[in-house]
Amino acid sequence: MSIMYLYVALLVVMFNDLAHGQTCRSNAPRSDCGYLGINQQQCESKGCCWVPAQGQPWCFYKTTPPSSYQVDSVTSNDLGVKLSLKADGSTSTQYGELITPLAVDITMETSERLHVKIYDPNNRRWEIPSNVSPIGNVPTTAPTNTLYKFNTAKKGEKFHFIITRATDGAVLFNTSSSDQTLQFVDQYLTITTTLPGTESLYGLGEHKVSLQLKRGQTFTMWNFDTATPDNLNLYGSHPFYLDLRQTGKAHGVYLRNSNGMDVTYGDKYLTYRVIGGILDFYFFLGPTPEAVIQQYQEVIGRPHMPPYWALGFHQCRYGYPNVEALSDVVANYSSNKVRSVYTIKIVTCAINVTYYCIFVLL
């Protein structure tokens, strides 16, 4: 009898998947359905797909053929272009209803910086307040000799945009793949860019990973106070990456969004999955890594100058049992033997004591 129940249950799952058009689309970005050490039998028993592939999850969720957006109108202005999008066909997705219409503003802010903002024109959604995180100054006249070019879909076409480097035509961001389409649901926003496969990416912090990001990883941004385990989200969220190409030229991409998100670095693609807000991208053309960081800081603000006393040797650790133990550390650092090696300025005790304490030694 139990075998019959199992058979019926599997039929129900199968017909439910067919009714919703869910299939194992291995050529689309994959959402990990597995865990470390999962095998094919365990994966498929969860109703998920099993397709081995380098740099991607082998066990991944079934997906429905993605709904997409069509360009309804295109309006040029002095600083760029404004598009209106409407859902192309069904608005139903596995995560909810597509928001329609959408607006897309593409603004040439400086010769090195391009701004692409995708949002709901009829309902205000969460955006980071400018007094919390600044935004770049918007010009009143178009910049000249821009380092970038951009192309968008025409009216009636499936929405996409492509950003290239003006000097050599290198494609920097490209959302035109037919299997990787824009989705804009209330609590699920996703967009994918293709990559050449020879790039070197850095950023998407804060995580304890190699300096150069490795393909096949998903970087979660959801601030979390924890010890520093490998590959897990940590204290801060920095949805910015620097892309260094084999030509030696670099560019940067910043998504101005403070909601929780996953960014998946696949074999030849990068996919954003965000749980709220809008898609507010800034592109920085460099062309050197140093120039990219300078341009990035023109938008988010420069680092604060620390006080002079904070520039010295600073010790902080977790595990002091009491203040007396910390006082002994301060005394030992103040000894002539240690002072000859380190000129210590600050000793900090961490969260395991009942309060934070800082000793400043001037």
Side-chain angles (χ1 to χ4, degrees), residues 108-362:
M108 299 180 291
E109 294 192 345
T110 72
S111 60
E112 303 90 11
R113 185 175 80 232
L114 183 68
H115 186 190
V116 177
K117 184 175 180 179
I118 305 173
Y119 60 99
D120 180 351
N122 296 326
N123 298 283
R124 187 174 182 181
R125 295 173 59 84
W126 169 254
E127 299 180 42
I128 305 173
S130 59
N131 64 332
V132 174
S133 178
I135 57 176
N137 294 326
V138 179
T140 55
T141 58
T144 58
N145 301 319
T146 58
L147 298 184
Y148 51 81
K149 293 182 178 180
F150 66 88
N151 293 294
T152 67
K154 298 178 175 61
K155 182 177 180 179
E157 295 180 345
K158 174 187 168 184
F159 169 70
H160 66 269
F161 67 93
I162 303 172
I163 299 172
T164 58
R165 189 177 295 279
T167 54
D168 57 12
V171 178
L172 308 183
F173 204 88
N174 180 4
T175 70
S176 65
S177 172
S178 60
D179 289 311
Q180 302 164 0
T181 186
L182 168 70
Q183 300 276 283
F184 204 113
V185 180
D186 183 36
Q187 291 185 304
Y188 183 77
L189 289 65
T190 182
I191 193 169
T192 295
T193 177
T194 55
L195 293 170
T198 56
E199 72 290 332
S200 297
L201 297 190
Y202 305 87
L204 298 178
E206 184 176 8
H207 304 89
K208 183 186 174 186
V209 295
S210 60
L211 179 62
Q212 182 178 335
L213 304 182
K214 296 180 180 179
R215 296 175 182 84
Q217 290 184 309
T218 293
F219 303 97
T220 297
M221 288 172 222
W222 181 261
N223 296 2
F224 183 40
D225 184 0
T226 182
T228 52
D230 293 343
N231 303 321
L232 292 182
N233 45 305
L234 297 176
Y235 300 97
S237 296
H238 305 277
F240 164 84
Y241 70 85
L242 186 148
D243 182 338
L244 180 63
R245 298 291 172 89
Q246 290 183 317
T247 59
K249 294 180 180 178
H251 68 276
V253 179
Y254 168 48
L255 174 58
R256 191 174 185 272
N257 186 307
S258 62
N259 289 268
M261 70 180 75
D262 282 344
V263 183
T264 299
Y265 182 21
D267 188 29
K268 289 187 177 182
Y269 68 85
L270 193 80
T271 295
Y272 293 86
R273 297 182 180 92
V274 192
I275 62 171
I278 65 172
L279 296 174
D280 193 8
F281 285 101
Y282 288 84
F283 299 91
F284 310 102
L285 270 288
T288 65
E290 294 86 351
V292 170
I293 299 304
Q294 290 285 336
Q295 294 154 16
Y296 175 46
Q297 291 180 345
E298 286 176 0
V299 172
I300 67 169
R302 306 293 184 187
H304 291 285
M305 178 65 72
Y308 177 75
W309 55 264
L311 298 176
F313 182 73
H314 181 177
Q315 171 169 313
C316 175
R317 64 159 289 194
Y318 175 90
Y320 293 116
N322 49 52
V323 175
E324 287 72 20
L326 184 64
S327 297
D328 290 340
V329 171
V330 174
N332 290 333
Y333 269 118
S334 299
S335 69
N336 291 333
K337 182 178 180 180
V338 177
R339 188 175 287 276
S340 65
V341 179
Y342 301 111
T343 302
I344 187 168
K345 296 294 184 182
I346 311 169
V347 178
T348 306
C349 56
I351 59 176
N352 59 307
V353 292
T354 55
Y355 48 85
Y356 280 93
C357 49
I358 299 178
F359 285 74
V360 180
L361 310 177
L362 299 176

Side-chain angles (χ1 to χ4, degrees), residues 64-89:
T64 55
S67 302
S68 62
Y69 286 94
Q70 183 183 94
V71 177
D72 193 37
S73 67
V74 181
T75 305
S76 298
N77 56 58
D78 291 341
L79 298 179
V81 65
K82 185 180 183 71
L83 294 87
S84 177
L85 311 182
K86 64 180 181 180
D88 185 9

